[in-house]
Amino acid sequence: MRLVDHRLAGAEVQHLPCPKNRRKLLAAEMIVLHYTAGASALSSARWLAREDVKASAHLVIGRGGEVIQLVAFDTEAWHAGISAYAGRKGLNRYSIGIELDNLGRLQVQDGEFLAGCGRVVEPEEVYVDESVAVPTFWHRYTPVQLDRLREVCRLLCAAYPVRHIVGHSDITDRKQDPGPEIRALLRQHLEKGIIFNR
């Protein structure tokens, strides 16, 4: 993969037009990570690109490592909402939003792990967060998906003045995405003094 005119290029990248986003970013100082909680990467990307939806993102990364780009990296996407971090507010103006195809937090019902959309998740796809008093259950990210995320973050950090890679839940208390698995990865990398192997 490579960057060409603020867009990713490569065999694994698909572009989906999102003409509703036109305003330029003030600066790409942050990368904000989200999960889609949707049925698939493509269905989530199509929903985010709809003209009547007041949300969007720069990228959606699928569970097989596929990448769908909606918005150029020099253009504002609507992913952060009311948000603040490191002295900045209104982070849509200062950040790149990456959505990861993932069902999010799961509930246990009749011995099965159930996503908000009603889909049953197999036990081997469940991440258990035991850092809290009562363990919680989350859809696990795939290794290829996380590898692709690292690759994208390295490219973006090399091309733009990115200072922080954070989860949506780090910039607003209204959200819980991208969940504890990604937060643990970010914490490990920060402790080593690196940002996703930048």
Side-chain angles (χ1 to χ4, degrees):
M1 264 192 313
R2 63 193 191 286
L3 270 169
V4 179
D5 293 329
H6 304 289
R7 289 188 175 271
L8 292 174
E12 54 281 286
V13 181
Q14 175 184 348
H15 292 274
L16 189 63
C18 189
K20 65 187 176 185
N21 293 98
R22 296 183 197 90
R23 187 161 76 160
K24 296 299 180 186
L25 277 182
L26 292 175
E29 296 177 348
M30 306 179 68
I31 297 170
V32 181
L33 306 177
H34 308 259
Y35 58 58
T36 59
S40 71
L42 186 57
S43 69
S44 295
R46 285 179 174 156
W47 185 81
L48 289 166
R50 281 174 34 179
E51 199 67 39
D52 62 322
V53 171
K54 300 301 181 195
S56 58
H58 292 90
L59 298 179
V60 177
I61 300 178
R63 298 185 67 74
E66 66 277 18
V67 177
I68 304 167
Q69 183 157 11
L70 290 82
V71 179
F73 297 123
D74 66 341
T75 302
E76 180 183 329
W78 306 329
H79 61 96
I82 298 168
S83 52
Y85 190 85
R88 291 275 195 212
K89 291 183 180 178
L91 297 178
N92 284 336
R93 303 290 284 134
Y94 303 97
S95 63
I96 292 169
I98 299 177
E99 294 271 356
L100 298 158
D101 180 19
N102 183 281
L103 294 170
R105 189 167 177 173
L106 308 171
Q107 301 300 320
V108 179
Q109 187 175 319
D110 298 325
E112 294 184 312
F113 297 102
L114 198 64
C117 65
R119 196 163 109 201
V120 173
V121 176
E122 295 301 320
E124 61 271 15
E125 290 186 55
V126 175
Y127 178 87
V128 182
D129 180 17
E130 297 181 291
S131 68
V132 289
V134 177
T136 55
F137 306 97
W138 304 77
H139 194 199
R140 188 177 285 282
Y141 294 92
T142 69
V144 68
Q145 187 178 35
L146 293 174
D147 286 345
R148 183 71 72 211
L149 175 62
R150 290 183 186 96
E151 181 183 2
V152 168
C153 286
R154 283 195 297 269
L155 280 169
L156 294 175
C157 288
Y160 300 102
V162 175
R163 296 184 304 152
H164 307 284
I165 300 176
V166 297
H168 198 184
S169 59
D170 294 317
I171 63 172
T172 177
D173 57 9
R174 300 174 299 110
K175 299 292 183 176
Q176 59 184 357
D177 59 317
E181 183 180 9
I182 294 283
R183 283 200 309 273
L185 283 174
L186 288 172
R187 192 164 48 251
Q188 288 169 14
H189 286 283
L190 287 173
E191 286 168 1
K192 294 175 184 174
I194 55 176
I195 300 177
F196 268 138
N197 294 330
R198 179 161 79 167

